Amino acid sequence: MKKNDKHNEKLVRQKVAGLPLIAEVIDRMDLRRILGDAIGQHGNETFPAVDSLILLIINLAQGKQPLYELERWVQSLDARCLGYKKFPKGKLNDDRFGRVLDKLYKADRASLMTRLVMGVTKEFDLRLDRIHNDSTTLKACGKYPGKTDTGFELKNGHSKDRRPDLKQLVYSLSICADGAVPVHQKTYPGNRTDDTTHIETWNTLRKIQPDPGFLYVADSKLCTDKQLHHIVSHKGRAISMMPDTWKEVPTFMDALRKSRKAKQEIWRRLKPGSDTEMEYFSAFTGIHLTKQRGYRIHWIYSSEKRQRDRHARQKRLQKAEEALMELTGKINMRKLKTQEAIQEAIDAILAQYKVGTFLHVKIGTTREETRTQIGKGRPSKDTQYKHVIKTVFTLGWSRNTTGLRQEAHTDGVFPLLCTDKDLTAKEVLQAYKYQPRLEKRFQQFKQIHHGAPLLFKKLERIEATMFAFFIALMIQALIERQVRNQMADQKIPAIALYPEDRDASHPTTAKIMGIFADVSTYKLMSSTREIKEFRDDLTDVQQTILKLLNIPNDVYWIK
């Protein structure tokens, strides 16, 4: 080496991180071939469009970045861990990724999803005997006029992000009960309600699961006669929470307020988030059926829900009483000088906090007599006075102890509807209690993958990105599922993934990827050549994860 070359030496760091874990799942999914067939491939491409799309999906799986930052992100990676020699410089810009999203939009995404899910089901031996569905909303910033050819558009609607001022989309997601792996997605306009989507979702799932007898689980929006009858008439099965709009619900609750009913404990489990506290569930005895169609209703009692209901009611009562106290200082003034106006304000408070049956509110009156001078001027010994009697309203209230005691009988009680009469109350309850796993996927979607806010110029690219997110969520779920299954098979109780080497008995993909986040390779470069290469040492925990995923150490570094 020449003497002055030492002044030109530099150390180049390239990240490996969790990319090999994602690449291993992508290979098993046969994703490159399936996507290539869907969007088309051309021999004259300097960098294939399908590879650009896969890089975009990998980025989404790790945590979304804006399109204009993707080129910098790609160049920071060690291409060898993904099976490339190197990435072309200046080619992987935001325009290229935008164009590949346009291609994905134009592809037959319905057939693509069916083929992808069926392939994953076979390769990973997924069970599709129970499928859960729910939806969430994603807010958008900026103006997005018009709609796509598929009818998708951003609209104002009920915002689950509590931003009714922003337009949004509705994202429907279905997962199987085997590892909470996504198996279906659909993007709807922001004003679409869930009670109009389940028939379409169920029909699409039938293309993925040939047996119509799979158990379809969803929230109370599924509980309409039209949707339930469609599923049952096609030999399907469904479980849903019954809303109060069904007459059977207030009828049973009113009877429960008047007298207690027999129930039997059916299940105990550790309280979610606790290692010591238990919660238990009971089912009310007897056979309960809907008046229409005769579907089975399982009335369930939850010890934890009982505490939540009682606490929520007490909190509403306190807020209502505070509002009444504030109202007391405002009556007899301005717009609150008549009994009718005061009663209207009271009714509004009781309705707002839903405590109309729990508080007795009474408007009282007193007579206030005052002496007023007749005429103008300074009072003197000849001044005459008149007596004025004014009616003053007062406010008083007390709690309805009888009503509160009766309402306490309904604490912790909720109805589950099941169209399969052969399932026991415990089986129905355990199936429905898997629904929070789907809510966890939405939490990952928004907080880890940064699904919102949407920042694209074209609606078509938003719709295509939602499909790419679906694939990214599937990849994450498959990594998580394999690690947990292998831990169970090898009887590994926990892995030290948390700070200070604290154990995780149910590791998530985010935590798994987190421990690999800083793993890199380093090249000592001169102005003309590579002098030497270094690698970070893998920790025992990292090597354990690789073994659980069947990834050899040498394959981790160079694919």
Side-chain angles (χ1 to χ4, degrees):
M1 183 186 300
K2 293 182 180 179
K3 208 172 201 180
N4 58 357
D5 278 354
K6 290 185 178 181
H7 299 289
N8 297 324
E9 291 176 3
K10 62 178 181 179
L11 190 65
V12 178
R13 179 190 181 188
Q14 292 183 309
K15 283 194 171 185
V16 178
L19 298 176
L21 284 64
I22 297 174
E24 175 66 18
V25 174
I26 286 176
D27 282 352
R28 291 187 61 186
M29 292 171 65
D30 200 13
L31 188 59
R32 191 180 191 281
R33 183 169 65 87
I34 293 174
L35 289 178
D37 292 344
I39 67 174
Q41 301 186 60
H42 305 281
N44 60 349
E45 292 176 317
T46 55
F47 191 79
V50 65
D51 291 319
S52 300
L53 181 55
I54 287 177
L55 284 175
L56 179 61
I57 291 170
I58 291 173
N59 180 261
L60 295 178
Q62 286 195 315
K64 185 188 76 171
Q65 292 173 305
L67 291 184
Y68 60 82
E69 290 186 3
L70 286 183
E71 183 170 16
R72 185 191 307 172
W73 171 76
V74 169
Q75 296 302 331
S76 71
L77 307 178
D78 190 330
R80 296 171 299 175
C81 67
L82 293 175
Y84 304 96
K85 290 184 179 180
K86 60 180 180 178
F87 296 119
K89 291 186 177 181
K91 298 291 184 179
L92 299 174
N93 50 34
D94 55 346
D95 286 338
R96 177 178 289 272
F97 288 111
R99 288 194 299 270
V100 81
L101 285 174
D102 294 337
K103 290 187 176 184
L104 180 59
Y105 170 78
K106 294 176 182 178
D108 184 358
R109 281 170 282 123
S111 299
L112 171 59
M113 180 174 63
T114 301
R115 181 183 176 189
L116 182 63
V117 173
M118 292 183 70
V120 167
T121 301
K122 183 178 180 180
E123 172 64 26
F124 291 85
D125 195 23
L126 287 182
R127 299 191 311 276
L128 301 181
D129 54 338
R130 192 172 84 232
I131 297 176
H132 295 251
N133 175 267
D134 201 357
S135 70
T136 190
T137 59
L138 275 81
K139 60 182 180 288
C141 299
K143 294 183 179 181
Y144 295 88
K147 63 173 67 175
T148 66
D149 295 337
T150 60
F152 167 70
E153 59 183 327
L154 295 174
K155 301 283 286 185
N156 291 102
H158 175 66
S159 175
K160 298 181 181 179
D161 292 323
R162 299 181 180 180
R163 288 297 305 269
D165 57 313
L166 296 178
K167 290 186 177 182
Q168 63 182 19
L169 61 82
V170 173
Y171 189 66
S172 174
L173 185 68
S174 300
I175 63 171
C176 67
D178 183 6
V181 178
V183 294
H184 170 266
Q185 69 88 38
K186 178 73 175 180
T187 305
Y188 294 100
N191 60 351
R192 186 74 177 265
T193 55
D194 288 358
D195 55 2
T196 63
T197 64
H198 288 294
I199 292 177
E200 179 184 355
T201 300
W202 192 86
N203 289 340
T204 304
L205 290 172
R206 281 282 286 107
K207 299 176 182 178
I208 299 169
Q209 168 59 290
D211 180 11
F214 67 89
L215 199 56
Y216 184 72
V217 185
D219 63 11
S220 59
K221 294 298 178 66
L222 170 63
C223 213
T224 65
D225 180 67
K226 180 180 179 181
Q227 295 181 129
L228 292 173
H229 181 62
H230 176 85
I231 294 173
V232 173
S233 63
H234 289 80
K235 300 180 180 181
R237 302 182 300 158
I239 292 176
S240 175
M241 175 85 77
M242 283 189 73
D244 294 341
T245 52
W246 285 57
K247 294 181 180 179
E248 293 83 352
V249 177
T251 299
F252 184 88
M253 289 296 195
D254 287 342
L256 194 59
R257 290 183 182 98
K258 296 175 182 178
S259 63
R260 296 183 181 273
K261 296 182 179 294
K263 57 183 181 292
Q264 183 178 8
E265 184 177 324
I266 58 174
W267 187 30
R268 279 180 180 260
R269 70 171 184 177
L270 282 172
K271 179 181 173 182
S274 173
D275 296 327
T276 56
E277 296 183 64
M278 301 291 294
E279 68 172 325
Y280 67 89
F281 301 88
S282 300
F284 286 85
T285 57
I287 297 177
H288 307 276
L289 304 174
T290 61
K291 293 179 180 179
Q292 190 175 13
R293 314 283 186 189
Y295 300 136
R296 184 71 183 270
I297 305 173
H298 296 280
W299 284 96
I300 307 297
Y301 168 84
S302 163
S303 60
E304 280 300 307
K305 187 176 185 298
R306 177 193 178 190
Q307 295 181 20
R308 292 196 301 270
D309 290 347
R310 185 165 298 181
H311 175 73
R313 183 171 58 252
Q314 185 65 25
K315 192 172 181 179
R316 295 200 313 272
L317 280 168
Q318 290 176 355
K319 288 188 174 182
E321 289 174 333
E322 289 172 1
L324 289 172
M325 183 66 73
E326 185 178 350
L327 179 63
T328 302
K330 295 180 179 179
I331 60 176
N332 301 306
M333 294 185 293
R334 298 191 178 185
K335 296 181 179 181
L336 295 173
K337 293 182 178 180
T338 65
Q339 185 169 347
E340 292 77 11
I342 296 172
Q343 186 62 52
E344 186 177 341
I346 293 171
D347 293 341
I349 292 173
L350 298 181
Q352 178 183 356
Y353 296 106
K354 301 178 182 179
V355 292
T357 58
F358 307 139
L359 288 177
H360 294 309
V361 185
K362 184 178 180 181
I363 301 175
T365 58
T366 60
R367 294 165 64 88
E368 186 179 88
E369 185 176 343
T370 58
R371 195 177 69 152
T372 305
Q373 175 182 325
I374 298 176
K376 300 179 180 180
R378 180 173 296 180
S380 67
K381 62 179 181 178
D382 298 323
T383 300
Q384 294 182 345
Y385 295 88
K386 64 179 178 179
H387 292 274
V388 178
I389 299 175
K390 179 182 178 183
T391 300
V392 177
F393 296 102
T394 60
L395 209 58
W397 63 87
S398 63
R399 292 191 178 187
N400 180 1
T401 55
T402 302
L404 288 169
R405 185 171 59 253
Q406 291 177 343
E407 189 67 19
H409 295 165
T410 67
D411 288 345
V413 179
F414 60 96
L416 293 177
L417 182 148
C418 180
T419 62
D420 186 353
K421 295 181 180 179
D422 294 330
L423 291 179
T424 65
K426 181 179 179 180
E427 290 171 331
V428 173
L429 175 63
Q430 289 179 332
Y432 188 78
K433 282 298 179 181
Y434 197 84
Q435 197 74 356
R437 294 286 299 273
L438 178 51
E439 295 170 5
K440 190 71 175 177
R441 289 283 176 250
F442 286 140
Q443 183 184 21
Q444 293 173 342
F445 183 38
K446 293 184 178 182
Q447 296 183 3
I448 297 174
H449 300 289
H450 308 298
L454 302 168
L455 299 169
F456 291 92
K457 294 181 179 179
K458 297 181 180 180
L459 287 173
E460 291 80 3
R461 291 182 180 180
I462 291 177
E463 195 170 351
T465 300
M466 292 301 102
F467 190 88
F469 266 124
F470 166 72
I471 300 176
L473 286 170
M474 181 182 287
I475 292 170
Q476 282 236 353
L478 290 170
I479 293 173
E480 183 178 287
R481 174 181 178 269
Q482 182 167 345
V483 170
R484 293 185 181 186
N485 286 350
Q486 288 296 316
M487 287 175 62
D489 293 343
Q490 299 180 30
K491 298 181 179 180
I492 301 174
I495 301 177
L497 296 180
Y498 291 113
E500 300 174 350
D501 293 331
R502 288 181 289 121
D503 287 340
S505 55
H506 297 87
T508 63
T509 303
K511 293 299 180 184
I512 293 170
M513 301 292 284
I515 66 168
F516 286 94
D518 295 326
V519 179
S520 306
T521 59
Y522 307 87
K523 292 181 179 179
L524 184 62
M525 305 289 294
S526 70
S527 58
T528 57
R529 63 188 180 90
E530 175 185 326
I531 301 173
K532 193 173 183 180
E533 182 178 356
F534 308 90
R535 295 174 179 173
D536 285 327
D537 293 329
L538 295 179
T539 65
D540 292 339
V541 175
Q542 290 167 341
Q543 293 186 33
T544 298
I545 293 294
L546 294 181
K547 289 178 182 178
L548 294 175
L549 292 171
N550 297 319
I551 301 177
N553 279 7
D554 55 341
V555 175
Y556 173 81
W557 295 105
I558 300 178
K559 184 173 173 57

